[in-house]
């Protein structure tokens, strides 16, 4: 049974660590810094780093790739993007890849960057490693993609099974929930989640992983079709009619300056 743990990095990143006790092999997702991974390996000398999974090219996700590759010989997998170093295998939409005996399906989810991918493992308890596309109660900024691209990518992820655990790579949940409450002040699910996450963070615990059922209830970027969201955005931008992509674009612009 593969276990998943988080290695904190930088100010608010998580490097996801997958551990297979049967084989003493691990995989990591988006190692922006090699130091936490090498420290873990030093503390567990009978374990081997087998795979490095990359979602996109930003430095806080790939900064540790080359040192880890040099130190361990691990296989590096990622999207078709020349900005990702030491890549052994290029992954494209719909392909599957075996990691520690688990089959992951590759989903292209552009928007945050043009080549962003996510890794989905379908099981009784599904997993989603989604980088900076979907956050707990939020979504990534648009650096290279369009609002319509990002909106489609988020809708694609939202269509996965509601039990799917969401392993995003930043601890942004509290600030995202404060924004969600500004969008839907009368949503009781947001109020409950904000109170729960506030308590968890005060106790020094991570807010992750999330799950898609919770995201559908509390993440405004997955709720662009809800009347409460549409009406709030329309009032704010002074436009009577907005299509779903426009609702998303206005929400993202609002969050950028929140």
């Amino acid at each position: 049974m593969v276990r998943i743990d988080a290695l904190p990095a930088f100010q608010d990143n998580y490097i996801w660590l997958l551990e297979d006790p049967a084989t003493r092999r691990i995989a990591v997702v988006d190692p922006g810094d090699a130091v936490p991974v090498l420290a873990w390996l030093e503390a567990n000398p009978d374990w081997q780093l087998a795979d490095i999974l990359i979602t996109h090219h930003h430095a806080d996700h790939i900064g540790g790739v080359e040192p880890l590759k040099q130190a361990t010989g691990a296989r590096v997998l990622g999207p078709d993007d020349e900005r990702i170093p030491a890549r052994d295998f290029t992954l494209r939409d719909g392909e599957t890849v075996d990691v520690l005996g688990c089959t992951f399906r590759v989903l292209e989810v552009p928007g945050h960057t043009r080549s962003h991918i996510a890794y989905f493992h379908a099981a009784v308890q599904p997993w989603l490693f989604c980088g900076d596309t979907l956050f707990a109660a939020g979504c990534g900024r648009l650096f290279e993609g369009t609002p319509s691209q990002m909106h489609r990518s988020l809708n694609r992820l939202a269509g996965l099974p509601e039990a799917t655990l969401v392993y995003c790579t930043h601890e942004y949940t509290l600030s995202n929930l404060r924004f969600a409450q500004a969008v839907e002040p009368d949503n009781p699910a947001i109020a409950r989640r904000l109170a729960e996450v506030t308590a968890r963070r005060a106790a020094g615990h991570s807010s992750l992983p999330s799950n898609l059922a919770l995201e559908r209830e509390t993440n405004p970027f997955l709720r662009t079709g809800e009347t409460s969201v549409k009406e709030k955005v329309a009032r704010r931008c002074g436009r009577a009619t907005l299509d779903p992509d426009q609702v998303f674009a206005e929400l993202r612009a609002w969050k950028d300056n929140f």
Side-chain angles (χ1 to χ4, degrees):
M1 179 70 70
V2 171
R3 302 190 301 254
I4 303 175
D5 290 315
L7 297 177
F10 308 121
Q11 184 175 353
D12 51 36
N13 282 62
Y14 292 119
I15 301 168
W16 293 110
L17 175 71
L18 289 72
E19 308 163 42
D20 180 7
T23 63
R24 299 281 176 169
R25 294 185 304 150
I26 65 169
V28 292
V29 183
D30 287 346
D33 186 1
V35 172
V37 182
L38 293 173
W40 192 96
L41 289 168
E42 184 176 358
N44 298 272
D46 54 339
W47 288 68
Q48 175 191 4
L49 176 61
D51 292 304
I52 299 170
L53 281 63
I54 301 300
T55 62
H56 66 292
H57 76 278
H58 283 162
D60 62 324
H61 294 252
I62 65 168
V65 170
E66 289 184 300
L68 290 173
K69 175 76 171 177
Q70 292 167 7
T72 67
R75 179 178 65 160
V76 179
L77 307 103
D80 186 7
D81 194 321
E82 68 282 355
R83 296 170 292 185
I84 295 171
R87 189 174 70 250
D88 296 302
F89 291 93
T90 297
L91 301 176
R92 294 178 174 83
D93 191 59
E95 293 182 342
T96 59
V97 61
D98 181 275
V99 177
L100 304 183
C102 300
T103 299
F104 285 87
R105 178 159 55 97
V106 177
L107 306 173
E108 291 183 358
V109 284
H112 181 65
T113 66
R114 60 174 169 80
S115 63
H116 201 301
I117 62 173
Y119 299 84
F120 175 67
H121 173 56
V124 175
Q125 177 61 79
W127 307 329
L128 176 68
F129 295 97
C130 50
D132 288 357
T133 296
L134 174 64
F135 289 137
C139 74
R141 288 178 180 264
L142 307 183
F143 288 107
E144 297 178 355
T146 66
S148 61
Q149 278 182 317
M150 188 63 145
H151 192 213
R152 285 194 300 272
S153 293
L154 289 168
N155 284 340
R156 185 178 193 188
L157 297 182
L160 296 172
E162 66 176 16
T164 300
L165 294 179
V166 177
Y167 293 93
C168 54
T169 47
H170 288 279
E171 184 59 73
Y172 291 163
T173 314
L174 267 181
S175 61
N176 287 340
L177 284 168
R178 293 183 186 115
F179 175 71
Q181 193 165 60
V183 177
E184 290 188 277
D186 299 322
N187 183 330
I190 293 174
R192 284 195 303 271
R193 189 179 185 188
L194 180 57
E196 291 167 2
V197 172
T198 299
R200 284 192 62 80
R201 296 300 293 150
H205 301 306
S206 170
S207 67
L208 301 176
S210 178
N211 65 74
L212 283 180
L214 187 57
E215 293 308 311
R216 292 171 188 168
E217 288 184 328
T218 60
N219 189 326
F221 297 103
L222 302 188
R223 296 175 56 80
T224 56
E226 296 293 324
T227 299
S228 56
V229 176
K230 291 189 292 186
E231 289 182 347
K232 185 62 169 277
V233 172
R235 286 197 301 272
R236 192 172 185 279
C237 69
R239 298 169 63 183
T241 304
L242 295 168
D243 65 34
D245 282 352
Q246 290 170 328
V247 173
F248 172 81
E250 292 292 340
L251 273 177
R252 187 60 258 183
W254 181 7
K255 179 64 168 65
D256 287 345
N257 296 288
F258 184 73

